[in-house]
Amino acid sequence: MPETVTLSVPVEFENQLKQEMQTAAIEAFKSVAGKHTFAEYMNRERCASYLGCAGGTVDKLTRLGLPTITVDSLKMYKKSEIDTWLLSHQY
C-alpha cells in the first residue's frame, strides 16, 4: 500500500504551483489538438481517442458527470465541454 506524504507549503507557493499546472495542462491540450483533428461533437469512440483512454473509461467519466448530449439514443460529447469539465476537476 502506498504511503501518503503530507507537505506544508505557503499558500502563495501552492497557488502559483496550481496556476503553473493549469497553464501546462492547457498548453498540452493545445499541443494535442494541433496534432489531431477532432470534430467539435464526438461519439464515444472518438471521445475515447481524444482523451487517450478506453471506451469504458469514457463511460465511467460520464457517470461521474462528463457532459453529454443525447438525441434519441445517440450520445455525443462536445470537445470544448470535455476540456472544461476536465479542468474543473483539476487539483
Side-chain angles (χ1 to χ4, degrees):
M1 175 180 265
E3 291 186 34
T4 301
V5 176
T6 303
L7 178 64
S8 296
V9 295
V11 173
E12 183 178 311
F13 176 77
E14 181 180 350
N15 290 338
Q16 181 182 4
L17 184 58
K18 285 179 182 178
Q19 180 62 40
E20 288 177 16
M21 290 174 68
Q22 182 177 12
T23 299
I26 290 169
E27 288 175 12
F29 284 137
K30 288 179 181 177
S31 173
V32 169
K35 294 177 184 174
H36 301 284
T37 303
F38 289 95
E40 181 64 17
Y41 295 93
M42 301 174 280
N43 64 16
R44 178 179 174 265
E45 291 75 24
R46 293 289 291 165
C47 180
S49 176
Y50 177 67
L51 292 172
C53 66
T57 302
V58 172
D59 296 339
K60 180 178 180 179
L61 294 174
T62 301
R63 287 190 301 274
L64 292 172
L66 181 67
T68 61
I69 299 166
T70 304
V71 178
D72 199 12
S73 62
L74 177 64
K75 189 177 290 188
M76 300 294 289
Y77 299 84
K78 187 174 181 182
K79 187 171 70 166
S80 60
E81 292 294 322
I82 294 167
D83 295 341
T84 301
W85 188 82
L86 287 173
L87 287 173
S88 75
H89 287 80
Q90 178 179 333
Y91 293 106

